[in-house]
Amino acid sequence: MTAGVVIVGAGQGGFQLAASLRQDGFDRPVTLIGEEPGLPYQRPPLSKAYMADGAGERLVLKPAAFFERAGIERLAGLRVTAIDRAARRVALSDGTHRDYAQLVLATGARNLRPPLPGLDAPGVLGLRTLADAARLRAALVHARAAVVIGGGFIGLEFAAMARQAGLGVTVLEAGERLMARAVSPVCSDWFAALHRAMGTEVRLGCAAAGVETDAAGRACAVTLADGGRVAADLILVAAGVRPNVELAAEAGVAVDNGIVVDGCLRSSDPAIFALGDCAAFPLPGTGQVRFESVQAAVEHARHIARAITTGAETAFAMVPWFWSDQGKARLQIAGIAAGADAVQPVPQPAEGCFMALAWAGDRLAAVETVGLAAQHVAARRLIGAPRALIAAAGFDLRQALLAGAER
């Protein structure tokens, strides 16, 4: 059989690539391989809507019939164990193999497990997969108090859901502010105040030292590096993720905080691409970056599909954007604030709304908003715009966009 495209990883990026190849007219074999059983599904709602309704079927991206109609071979519950680059072949955990003309690694990332004693005790959970979310949701029914280790997006989204479910919640963040890798200090402060107003205890600069268990061996508290302890019968470890690069590294493909790819999203082996959480790609003006976002994975997938189908050598480019629902507050970010010279909060008359502009010199580098969807949409078209244009519009991004269009 003619070799086609083999996709390792059946998350949203891997799914999108398979679908886009067919949409773009690719007529050779497409194989989608995923370690999890079942159909590809959306991950972002796992810490949000799924916790509220438990409707896992709503997360499925497409039914089985879609893959059959599209002629996409779907291999679920199987792991790729090795890549033979010379033969252009991957070995699978069931002893079979698949040949490829192009291989795309969409292997994603896995939860970081800090080296703390007691993390294997019943009552200590993580959140990455649908199975994780189902266990966590079931635990919420009987829990009274939860501790979240880590003050990033996932931990805070869960903390808000747990408070809505009536649990006492404590968030432990070893750093000096929440979501430090992703947002500005002023945004961190706004969300710390938000969660405290919900009734969550937020402890900053507070590192977990381990998990204490009761006589039955279940988790009953988190011990702290300062000698304290926080009682809890449910503990979520949300201390970040690590990209899954081992398969690529073992095959001799270059890795460095991700699978290193060029502007066309090709790895050091021209027959192998990478996308999504596992890909470290060049972003103009920023350097090599890795985004843990569905938006990036989907755009990577579409770009690779065009490259494979048409042979185009266009460099990938996008304005990064992210979002996080924490209780009733939807945080939306456009651009990258890292390396910005200054962050400017913009006062908002409406309660529960927030906006901050990050500047690199006199150019707009990033915009953070809460409850201002129209401003966020405008921001995604204004990244890189001069301060003078935005200042002249009174820092109303919608007006600045209109003014720019009229020039």
Side-chain angles (χ1 to χ4, degrees), residues 257-331:
N257 185 35
I259 300 167
V260 178
V261 295
D262 62 15
C264 295
L265 304 179
R266 282 194 179 88
S267 74
S268 56
D269 181 330
I272 301 177
F273 296 80
L275 64 81
D277 293 9
C278 70
F281 67 98
L283 190 67
T286 303
Q288 210 79 5
V289 297
R290 189 174 60 80
F291 290 155
E292 298 159 10
S293 80
V294 167
Q295 293 77 23
V298 167
E299 292 304 318
H300 283 174
R302 289 171 174 157
H303 189 88
I304 292 171
R306 286 191 294 270
I308 290 174
T309 305
T310 69
E313 294 292 326
T314 307
F316 177 78
M318 69 173 287
V319 172
W321 61 278
F322 314 86
W323 61 277
S324 173
D325 285 340
Q326 299 177 30
K328 295 181 179 179
R330 167 164 286 191
L331 168 64

Side-chain angles (χ1 to χ4, degrees), residues 314-401:
T314 307
F316 177 78
M318 69 173 287
V319 172
W321 61 278
F322 314 86
W323 61 277
S324 173
D325 285 340
Q326 299 177 30
K328 295 181 179 179
R330 167 164 286 191
L331 168 64
Q332 295 179 290
I333 305 169
I336 300 177
D341 303 317
V343 177
Q344 173 191 354
V346 180
Q348 300 298 316
E351 185 178 354
C353 294
F354 169 86
M355 184 162 73
L357 311 180
W359 302 97
D362 69 345
R363 298 283 169 171
L364 186 65
V367 179
E368 301 163 333
T369 60
V370 175
L372 300 169
Q375 295 285 353
H376 170 74
V377 171
R380 286 162 59 181
R381 298 175 61 185
L382 283 170
I383 299 301
R387 185 193 298 259
L389 171 66
I390 297 169
F395 300 101
D396 182 324
L397 302 185
R398 295 169 300 177
Q399 296 303 316
L401 188 62

Side-chain angles (χ1 to χ4, degrees), residues 226-282:
D226 64 7
R229 70 189 292 276
V230 182
D233 47 9
L234 172 58
I235 298 165
L236 175 68
V237 181
V241 301
R242 290 291 180 269
N244 293 323
V245 301
E246 290 76 11
L247 184 65
E250 289 166 5
V253 174
V255 301
D256 183 8
N257 185 35
I259 300 167
V260 178
V261 295
D262 62 15
C264 295
L265 304 179
R266 282 194 179 88
S267 74
S268 56
D269 181 330
I272 301 177
F273 296 80
L275 64 81
D277 293 9
C278 70
F281 67 98

